[in-house]
Amino acid sequence: MTRMLILSLLMICGTVSAQESAVSADLLPEYDPFAEALTAIDAGKYELATEHIEEIEDPVAKIYAQSDMIHAKGDVKAAMEEVCKALALDSSNQQSLGKCEILIVNLYIELGMLTEADNAARQIVLLYGDTEFENEANALRSKIATMKKATESK
Amino acid sequence: MQCKLMMRRGLAHKAAFIASAAFLFGVTGLAKDAPRPVAVKVDLEAARADQIANLSAGALLTESAKILQTGDYSGALPFLDAYLERMAPEDNARASNLKQEVRLKIGRVKIYMNDRVGALEAFDEYMANKPQYRRREVLKLKAINLFKVGKDTGQDQYFEDCIATVTNAFYNPPLSELVLEDEKKDVSIDEMTKEQLGGLSKRQVKRNAEYAKGAKKDILKDVVAVSGPEMDAEYSVEDRVLLNITKAEACSELERWNDSIEPYRYVIDNSEDSARTGYATMKLVNSLVSLKRYDEAGDFVSELAKTDARYNIRVNLSIMKVAAALQEAEEYDSALALFRMILPRRDLILHQEGRMNEIRVDAGMPEIAVEVVTNSVGGYEAVFGHKSGYLDVSMGNSSFETPEVPPELAELEAAVNQVVALPPYEEDVHYRLGQLYAGAGRPWEAFSVLNSVYEKDVYGSLGQQAFFESLQVLVDPLEEYDRVEKVAYEYLDTYKSGLAPRQVAVALGSCYMKQSKYKEMKKLLPYINSFEPVEANDVRTALQYECEVHYLLAISDMLLLNYQAAEAGFAKLLKNYPGSHQEGNATYWHALSLLFLQQYEDAFAGFETYPVKFPKGRWDAQCSFRGGICLFSMEKYDEALARFTYVMTTWPDRNLYSDAASLRGDLYGYQGELEKAILDYREAIRTADTLQQGTYPVFQMLAVFERQSQHDEIYKAIDEYEARWAEKADVAKAAYWRGKTKMDQGLVEEGLEAYLSAVVKHGGNIKQDGVDLIINEMVNVSRGLEDDESARLNSSIQKSIKEASNPTLKLRLRCLIAQIDKKEVELGAALLAELDNFDQAPPPVLSMICKASFAAEDFSRSEELLNIFKTKFDDSEYMQAAYKLRATALFNAESYEEAMVIVKETQDLYGYAYDAAWAQLMKGKIELKNGSLLSARETFRTVLDIRDWRGESFAEALYYLGHIEEQREDFQMAFKWYQRDYVQYKGYADGYWAAECYLASARCLEKMGFADKQRDTYRAMLFDKYVNKLPQAKAARNALGGTVVSEIDTLLASGVTTNITVTIKAEEAQ
């Protein structure tokens, strides 16, 4: 957004021609607000992250980023509430949805709701066969099983 | 819009026709660009009849071929029929084969004409004749046609025949069964006999053969190419897929799910058409679900998820149906996965639009945009408008005007219309998803999805149902109680009408239940009382929810031990909501509340009603058992015994078997049949599931052993009890019994030592109330000890106190010493000053503190003490002292209403127990303060009905009864009550009430004008040693004057006793 704004201003001011701007824009990596948002969240720059999140078009991806930020700020339950909203959308974007579901499993784990975490992970395996999410979900299920055993042995 | 509708109707008709044609194209491989039939005019038919009559057999075939080329199927049929008729007598091989070919052709033509029954007749005729060189083709067409006719007519026989035909098609009979016996190998045309030429000239046959080679359309090729017979080829994989899906579908139609599985699997494994694979997978899932083979169904659901099959409209529609069935079967994982595959209508149509446009571009047709519009009756319909850039109209049936519509396109258009015609399903799917997330153990997802349904449809029934269910999820399992309370009260404050507020009240009730906030439940009452009546169509459901709230309220009262309120609540529910879903439960709980209120006859009647009204109800065994308790309590011992026997015989596997055995043991014990009692207690112990069930019969049995002086059995039973229940066992009580048995054996010091050892061992545990029982017993035993024994015991206790580091144990031991020394009040007072808090004080110590406070009239910590009991020792028998202290504090502070609450709580807990008389007395006094003289009179009279309360409580009650009558100015009656008090109960309460009654009597006599009798009363008072030293006696002295008093004192000093009795007769009083 910021970058586009600068380019527009330069064009208006006549500093660069439209053709030049097209060339320079080609040289720049494509702006990916989702990736930028996640990077900003990782860096703890939440204000900047919020700006990027506003630019995300895919509603599911937007929810994921929002939730990721809330989670990063430490409110696990609120993050859970946020990310679950993705499931209420009629989205066919399996990539974004899969990310959300993996996040849900992780949040359940953090909330200590291991059975629920396993339920969610099991569903991912069922719905996302032959994808990266299936593998992630299986790995999480193993982790959950270990955690459950540890809890039971206590 | 009208225009759009008309166009749409035309399209639907057209699409249906094309779809059926497309089906045939797909299965027969016939010409895809076959011309469409045209109407035949009557005059043309007449001309053709003439023509047929004049043509040779060969010419009939040639002419039929020409007519078919024009697309006039019905026009060709008479020529083909005439050929068969003409050639009927010919039975040589070639002629027979030609006839068979014509029969096949007639069948195909009839399919084109949509005369499927006619087609089936042609195929049957083919199969009834030989040779059958086209057997596979005919059977394939027949099977498909049978399925179609079955679908059209709904007659199962067609599906049965279809399945048989497919099975037959896959059977390869030997060639000999298919050809004529005299059939020879094919010969060249030049060598053909006249019969072999089948009515054609050699030239015609050759020309036709050449013509057939160049023919594009199979339908023509088959008719004209009457070359030598050749067995049709084996079915291709594509054919087999087609036959298998046909068979599978026919099996599904007949609900022969098991038979459908193999053919569906064949299709899944072999079809190269992903849409068909997806469809077959979906239908296979349906069959497996119908067979309740959920695990296998789940596997295929997972397979389905990996495909794009959900974009297929037929698959999407099937998913809804199967997912609902899976949800019904509580197969949440698979159901959830399927529901999540369902696409919203708009996405589905958009996807199909893309596919349609691909086909259209390939066919050289303009692209379209599908628009879903609302029609004049509020339904949905699809409009296939041209995309801008091709035509500037946004309506019309694009395919209708197009001369050649690719069948796949027609099929798609029909499918889109089918989806559009469905009622809106998206929100219903979301709602079900919410339910499924809850069922699948994913509560946060459930909440989110249900909440989204609510937010989209706040005032709709689905939205409100979703709101209610989202609250339920927040309660259980998310335990977001504060949030539920906040949201629910906001809602209840706003909405009063309809179903939703009632549902919200139920959710709130569940919220309180889960938190055991039974008192909070009462907050719901004003809300449900303020609900507006519901509309007729909602009444049944609304009343159910309303009833549920009342049920929760009554249950809360039950759990709060407010049995009277609970009884009233359940009774109201049964009266106001007859036939409700809670009627069975309420009947049971109502009877139980009556049992707890000791209204045994009514309770018994309730328990007896239950099995009559609910023969297979969940409380059947409980009702029978509790009925037995009622009989026991009504002292109908034989009936009770028979009842417990019935319970044990009828429900040997139920949890209450052990309880019934215990109580039957009690009955046998009561009747003196000790051996039988012991047998039952042993049975109860053997079958006990809970600690309580395992404990009660043990100690009851010990009491029997004690009566029989079977000391060894006592020790053995205790050992077994402790071994079974280990640390859960009531070890202190067991220790008590060990010590007690030692005592009984005459080993007093050994017994006391065992007691003290148990106290020291377990007394540090504040919850171990068995220790307090031992302490009581030690106090009792100590009373009979010799001085030296007493000194040794005292020394041992003091030593233990010094050695004890646990504060609770220290307090218990100090309590023991104080009781032995009869210095409880002093210790209580000391502890009151000494302890900053009572965290470490066990119930007897707290009770002692309460009593000391009461004696000192120090009520400052009364609230704190009662709260400690309520929160930590709510089932302690020592709690009563705290109730008394608190009630008195409130009474003294003139907080009568609050005091009455405490009184009621006490009475609910202790009823007519010996030391609960104070509560009844206080109740009367509060009623007096409130000016309710008659209620108070009834309350005090009740005291006199309780035998256990004789003594001080009687004395106080008599005084107040007199007081009430005095207030009512019935002085004679008042006098009687007063007099009875000082005559019969002057020895109680240090004579306090007797003294008060002497003075009150004198007052009444004066009011009645009996001055001399008044003086006699004063004299009697001064002669009464129980009262004459009390402060009240001063009033009598003053009234009598110094001389008389001196006389009395002198007489008393000389040892004179009098028996002055003042009597008044009724007439005197008047």
Side-chain angles (χ1 to χ4, degrees), chain B residues 575-642:
Chain B
K575 185 183 167 208
N576 293 348
Y577 304 93
S580 77
H581 67 295
Q582 290 292 12
E583 190 179 15
N585 289 331
T587 302
Y588 168 71
W589 288 107
H590 180 239
L592 195 62
S593 61
L594 287 166
L595 172 61
F596 291 153
L597 288 168
Q598 301 177 10
Q599 297 178 26
Y600 301 118
E601 284 190 25
D602 291 342
F604 182 73
F607 288 128
E608 293 296 281
T609 302
Y610 184 88
V612 177
K613 289 183 89 171
F614 310 96
K616 296 197 173 174
R618 62 184 289 212
W619 301 109
D620 53 356
Q622 280 287 351
C623 281
S624 190
F625 172 67
R626 304 273 176 194
I629 295 176
C630 293
L631 290 167
F632 198 157
S633 305
M634 289 189 284
E635 300 181 6
K636 296 180 177 177
Y637 299 126
D638 290 339
E639 288 174 60
L641 198 141

Side-chain angles (χ1 to χ4, degrees), chain B residues 167-472:
Chain B
T167 308
N168 196 19
F170 287 139
Y171 167 67
N172 281 325
L175 190 62
S176 59
E177 287 182 15
L178 303 177
V179 298
L180 293 165
E181 280 178 14
D182 62 342
E183 198 166 0
K184 293 176 185 170
K185 277 205 149 191
D186 194 17
V187 291
S188 72
I189 295 172
D190 288 333
E191 292 170 358
M192 284 179 181
T193 63
K194 191 180 173 186
E195 289 76 22
Q196 285 171 328
L197 288 170
L200 302 180
S201 68
K202 287 179 182 174
R203 199 158 155 254
Q204 275 178 309
V205 172
K206 280 180 182 172
R207 191 171 67 238
N208 286 348
E210 286 303 311
Y211 181 63
K213 280 179 194 167
K216 285 182 183 172
K217 297 174 183 175
D218 287 350
I219 192 164
L220 299 176
K221 189 190 280 184
D222 292 338
V223 176
V224 297
V226 287
S227 58
E230 206 173 283
M231 192 59 69
D232 55 359
E234 284 285 342
Y235 288 127
S236 64
V237 172
E238 195 183 343
D239 287 334
R240 286 181 176 275
V241 165
L242 185 69
L243 282 164
N244 272 291
I245 192 85
T246 306
K247 181 182 177 184
E249 291 284 86
C251 290
S252 290
E253 292 289 341
L254 294 172
E255 298 185 0
R256 282 159 55 174
W257 309 114
N258 211 28
D259 293 341
S260 74
I261 288 173
E262 195 185 323
Y264 278 133
R265 283 197 169 172
Y266 182 89
V267 177
I268 293 164
D269 293 341
N270 293 282
S271 176
E272 289 181 4
D273 179 348
S274 64
R276 179 164 277 168
T277 306
Y279 179 75
T281 309
M282 189 59 249
K283 293 301 296 274
L284 176 58
V285 170
N286 184 41
S287 295
L288 291 168
V289 168
S290 303
L291 289 165
K292 303 192 190 314
R293 287 156 64 175
Y294 299 118
D295 288 347
E296 290 171 74
D299 292 342
F300 281 98
V301 167
S302 184
E303 287 302 309
L304 193 66
K306 293 175 190 170
T307 72
D308 279 341
R310 64 186 183 146
Y311 288 102
N312 179 305
I313 290 176
R314 285 204 298 168
V315 172
N316 202 64
L317 296 176
S318 294
I319 286 176
M320 290 187 210
K321 189 179 148 210
V322 179
L326 282 166
Q327 185 180 13
E328 190 81 9
E330 298 183 0
E331 289 291 322
Y332 298 120
D333 273 12
S334 298
L336 186 54
L338 279 181
F339 267 115
R340 287 190 53 176
M341 285 182 217
I342 297 169
L343 289 173
R345 180 200 314 263
R346 199 161 291 275
D347 288 6
L348 202 55
I349 292 170
L350 281 176
H351 182 83
Q352 301 306 330
E353 182 191 287
R355 281 190 64 200
M356 283 193 278
N357 281 331
E358 280 172 22
I359 298 167
R360 294 176 74 87
V361 169
D362 287 347
M365 297 165 72
E367 287 185 71
I368 52 136
V370 182
E371 187 188 354
V372 178
V373 297
T374 308
N375 63 24
S376 56
V377 290
Y380 290 95
E381 64 181 8
V383 174
F384 300 93
H386 292 297
K387 268 189 176 177
S388 59
Y390 284 88
L391 288 169
D392 59 353
V393 290
S394 60
M395 61 178 202
N397 174 2
S398 62
S399 60
F400 195 75
E401 299 86 0
T402 313
E404 298 295 338
V405 179
E408 195 187 350
L409 179 61
E411 195 175 6
L412 274 178
E413 286 179 353
V416 167
N417 269 315
Q418 199 182 347
V419 171
V420 169
L422 286 175
Y425 61 82
E426 289 84 352
E427 283 317 303
D428 187 57
V429 167
H430 274 151
Y431 168 65
R432 279 171 176 268
L433 271 173
Q435 289 184 315
L436 283 166
Y437 277 122
R442 299 176 63 178
W444 276 114
E445 293 94 321
F447 168 72
S448 187
V449 175
L450 289 168
N451 194 47
S452 81
V453 174
Y454 167 62
E455 284 174 352
K456 284 179 199 161
D457 184 24
V458 173
Y459 301 107
S461 59
L462 189 69
Q464 295 196 337
Q465 182 67 25
F467 177 60
F468 165 60
E469 290 182 32
S470 74
L471 290 182
Q472 294 282 51

